[in-house]
Amino acid sequence: MLKDLLNLFFPKVCLACKEHLLANENIVCTTCRHHFPLTLHCENQNNEIIRKFYGRLTLEHASALLYFHKNGIVQELIHNLKYKNRQEIGTLLGEWYAEDLKNIHAELFFDAIIPVPLHKKRMQERGYNQMTTFGQAISKSLQIPLCENILHRDSYAKTQSKKNFLERTETKKSVFDVDFTEKDHHKHYLLIDDVITTGSTLEQCGKAILKIPGAKLSIVCMAYTHS
């Protein structure tokens, strides 16, 4: 009864379209789930993200779950995750995408997951990294560790409120480096991020990870900006 009363005064809404959720719906409504723009990258190993990084990074695999369109439901979903602390969205997308990644993992075998990190100051301001729950869900499903202490961000840029969402999502001025020991050598790392736009951030992160002797690299993201 208390739950029904709370729903009356504070109704649950879909975090993608903002419509009221039905009793059997959670986080995202059934309509939005059916209309999510899936990339199907896992079915095509020579997909557009692999091609985007030709000559920039040597990758074993690269893919994204969804296409990102300006003012679309995917933008709304990731905005809620990134700026409104709705971390359950990361879990939802991670669990969803992990099912597609199981066959890739069986073939290539990822040793560890590395999320694109926030600078320590930004982490203190926001209180969380929006990639953590996404990474945790994939880690649990594929049974591989999530490593948040290998890759770090050395530079800090203040949030530019006048920039649009995509410009805020992926900056070209970030600087990344790695801390590793001999036990980290010769491993296949799965680098994860939210939205791929230019690919600049992932390129810098990837180059840092590939400083580790014998390292191999794959990339998985929640969404890809469809041109």
Side-chain angles (χ1 to χ4, degrees), residues 102-114:
K102 283 180 179 178
N103 289 336
I104 306 296
H105 176 50
E107 179 182 346
L108 299 177
F109 190 77
F110 307 120
D111 291 290
I113 300 167
I114 297 180

Side-chain angles (χ1 to χ4, degrees), residues 68 70 75 78-79 82-83 122 126 130 153 157-174 193-201 225:
F68 183 108
K70 187 175 181 181
Q75 174 173 333
I78 294 178
H79 182 90
K82 189 168 183 177
Y83 298 110
R122 177 60 50 77
R126 189 177 295 171
Q130 72 274 9
R153 187 187 297 253
K158 292 183 179 179
T159 300
Q160 300 297 316
S161 59
K162 294 183 180 180
K163 287 185 177 182
N164 64 35
F165 177 75
L166 288 179
E167 288 170 335
R168 293 196 305 267
T169 297
E170 193 166 43
T171 176
K172 295 182 179 180
K173 297 182 179 180
S174 300
D193 200 8
D194 46 22
V195 181
I196 302 178
T197 54
T198 65
S200 174
T201 295
T225 308

Side-chain angles (χ1 to χ4, degrees), residues 34-120:
H34 286 162
H35 287 89
F36 273 139
L38 298 171
T39 68
L40 303 180
H41 284 160
C42 283
E43 298 179 10
N44 177 15
Q45 290 304 296
N46 187 30
N47 60 57
E48 55 203 321
I49 299 182
I50 281 284
R51 296 194 297 271
K52 190 179 191 72
F53 287 101
Y54 279 164
R56 299 166 68 181
L57 284 174
T58 299
L59 298 174
E60 307 300 313
H61 168 83
S63 63
L65 174 62
L66 304 167
Y67 282 117
F68 183 108
H69 298 108
K70 187 175 181 181
N71 299 321
I73 58 175
V74 175
Q75 174 173 333
E76 183 67 24
L77 198 65
I78 294 178
H79 182 90
N80 275 301
L81 166 65
K82 189 168 183 177
Y83 298 110
K84 296 186 178 181
N85 200 13
R86 299 307 299 262
Q87 297 184 67
E88 66 269 33
I89 294 170
T91 301
L92 173 71
L93 296 181
E95 290 174 345
W96 189 0
Y97 208 22
E99 292 303 308
D100 291 339
L101 293 171
K102 283 180 179 178
N103 289 336
I104 306 296
H105 176 50
E107 179 182 346
L108 299 177
F109 190 77
F110 307 120
D111 291 290
I113 300 167
I114 297 180
V116 170
L118 297 178
H119 188 272
K120 289 181 179 179

Side-chain angles (χ1 to χ4, degrees), residues 154-191:
D154 289 332
S155 68
Y156 172 78
K158 292 183 179 179
T159 300
Q160 300 297 316
S161 59
K162 294 183 180 180
K163 287 185 177 182
N164 64 35
F165 177 75
L166 288 179
E167 288 170 335
R168 293 196 305 267
T169 297
E170 193 166 43
T171 176
K172 295 182 179 180
K173 297 182 179 180
S174 300
V175 177
F176 301 88
D177 207 350
V178 285
D179 293 321
F180 60 90
T181 64
E182 189 174 349
K183 68 179 178 63
D184 301 311
H185 294 187
H186 304 290
K187 289 188 176 181
H188 185 180
Y189 293 102
L190 181 62
L191 176 65

